[in-house]
Amino acid sequence: MEAKRLQQESGPAKKQQGKKRFNIDLLRAEEDVDGLIEALQSDNGLTRQRAALALGDFGGAGAVGPLIQALGDPLTAVREAAADSLTLLEGAAVGPLVELIENPEASVKYEESPAPGGTATVTGPGGRTWEVETRRDLRRVYAAAILGEIADPSAVDPLVRALHDEHDDLRCQASGAIAKFGRRAVELLAKVLADPDPDVRIVAAGVLGDTGEASAVEPLIGALHDENDDVRGAAAGALIRMGDAAVGRLIDTTKDGDRNVRLYAAGALKYIGDPRAIDALRALALDEDKDVRSVAEDAIDKIQMVRGGMPAEPSPPTSR
């Protein structure tokens, strides 16, 4: 009888004080996917976290749904473990994650009971804190982040469409995810720069700068002509981040007929600090517009100062 009791307690799960306990090490060793999925429902947060991590190693397509459900877990550690495992599952996870960001109601299928009402404070990817009304919103934010890590080309279009979503945090996370696709995202984002919503154009300009792709320079130069001050500022800031890749086109742009464009070009060249721009900036220092002259003179001084070993703190240019 004693031997039988010990055998029962050494198995994958055991009862103690009416609660089921799980031996995650044994479940992992036996690659017991069903047992690990059951462990995701444990009342012990560490057990749920370890189960989520284990499923990323061998859970396969069958683990995707339970892990997406875990993205709504009350504990940050469990949510992040589930996100890490979904990233490891790669292709099996892409379709369901895309569905989450494209259809807000898709999250309902991962709820055993209705999500709690009212507003709750939760901590998500990167330690950011959000006020969300349902676990649905949190899952969608994680879905965008995970798709960026998986970097499957089929996710690019849905992520770009998510820039129009009404949920601010999803738009923010989608923009960061898109930047990780590099060249594949530039063409789509360039089209977004024509969106009627200036907020969407601002995000698109910022993401283009984050891609680091030389092909992003031309659409960003075009965005310096935008009718919205904030869009122009976002484009200028993005060109600054592009650094050397943007210098040649910015030099050409110092001759543009639009004073705002010349102003932003001079400011961007100032903060990039490339000495190749000196001649163009000297020509701008004779510009008919006093603000353009002022920024060009500041840019010349700054570049010469940096070349002398005294770098200045950069910040995006603004129109005057």
Side-chain angles (χ1 to χ4, degrees):
M1 182 66 70
E2 179 66 15
K4 183 176 181 181
R5 183 185 68 80
L6 291 174
Q7 183 179 17
Q8 289 174 338
E9 291 195 353
S10 64
K14 62 183 179 179
K15 297 277 189 176
Q16 185 178 39
Q17 297 178 345
K19 296 178 180 179
K20 192 168 186 178
R21 298 182 63 194
F22 298 86
N23 186 330
I24 300 298
D25 291 330
L26 184 57
L27 290 169
R28 178 189 280 276
E30 295 180 348
E31 295 192 4
D32 185 347
V33 174
D34 290 338
L36 289 167
I37 289 173
E38 186 180 2
L40 286 175
Q41 304 301 319
S42 169
D43 60 350
N44 182 283
L46 180 59
T47 296
R48 299 196 305 275
Q49 179 190 18
R50 295 186 66 211
L53 288 171
L55 285 168
D57 293 334
F58 48 78
V64 171
L67 286 169
I68 289 177
Q69 181 178 354
L71 294 178
D73 196 275
L75 295 181
T76 301
V78 178
R79 296 195 300 270
E80 292 187 347
D84 289 344
S85 287
L86 285 163
T87 301
L88 291 174
L89 293 177
E90 295 183 324
V94 171
L97 292 170
V98 165
E99 183 185 25
L100 274 179
I101 63 171
E102 296 222 279
N103 177 15
E105 301 308 317
S107 186
V108 174
K109 70 175 73 172
Y110 302 106
E111 295 290 347
E112 290 188 348
S113 59
T119 300
T121 301
V122 294
T123 304
R128 285 195 58 194
T129 300
W130 293 297
E131 297 288 331
V132 296
E133 294 182 359
T134 66
R135 290 190 293 266
R136 176 196 71 180
D137 296 329
L138 187 59
R139 285 196 184 94
R140 298 181 73 219
V141 171
Y142 269 105
I146 297 165
L147 287 169
E149 293 299 325
I150 295 174
D152 188 295
S154 65
V156 179
D157 283 352
L159 285 167
V160 170
R161 288 193 290 272
L163 297 180
H164 296 86
D165 196 89
E166 63 181 13
H167 194 281
D168 290 343
D169 294 312
L170 176 59
R171 292 199 304 272
C172 179
Q173 195 62 263
S175 68
I178 293 165
K180 297 180 180 180
F181 286 84
R183 187 179 309 160
R184 286 174 289 187
V186 170
E187 183 177 351
L188 289 170
L189 289 167
K191 294 178 181 177
V192 177
L193 286 175
D195 193 277
D197 186 342
D199 289 337
V200 173
R201 300 200 301 276
I202 289 168
V203 172
V207 180
L208 279 167
D210 292 338
T211 65
E213 292 290 329
S215 58
V217 171
E218 202 59 40
L220 287 169
I221 291 290
L224 293 179
H225 292 86
D226 197 280
E227 63 184 16
N228 184 283
D229 286 344
D230 293 331
V231 176
R232 294 197 299 270
L239 287 162
I240 291 171
R241 296 197 300 280
M242 297 295 296
D244 290 348
V247 171
R249 284 296 286 118
L250 284 168
I251 288 173
D252 294 341
T253 306
T254 60
K255 301 174 184 176
D256 195 278
D258 186 327
R259 64 80 75 174
N260 279 325
V261 173
R262 298 197 304 278
L263 189 64
Y264 277 112
L269 288 168
K270 169 183 175 180
Y271 291 109
I272 293 173
D274 192 306
R276 288 178 293 169
I278 288 287
D279 288 344
L281 289 167
R282 284 177 176 154
L284 272 188
L286 302 174
D287 196 273
E288 61 184 18
D289 186 285
K290 63 181 181 62
D291 291 333
V292 173
R293 293 197 302 271
S294 176
V295 173
E297 290 165 358
D298 288 347
I300 294 168
D301 290 343
K302 187 263 185 182
I303 293 172
Q304 291 176 334
M305 181 173 64
V306 170
R307 292 179 71 188
M310 300 171 60
E313 185 69 22
S315 60
T318 57
S319 59
R320 301 187 176 190

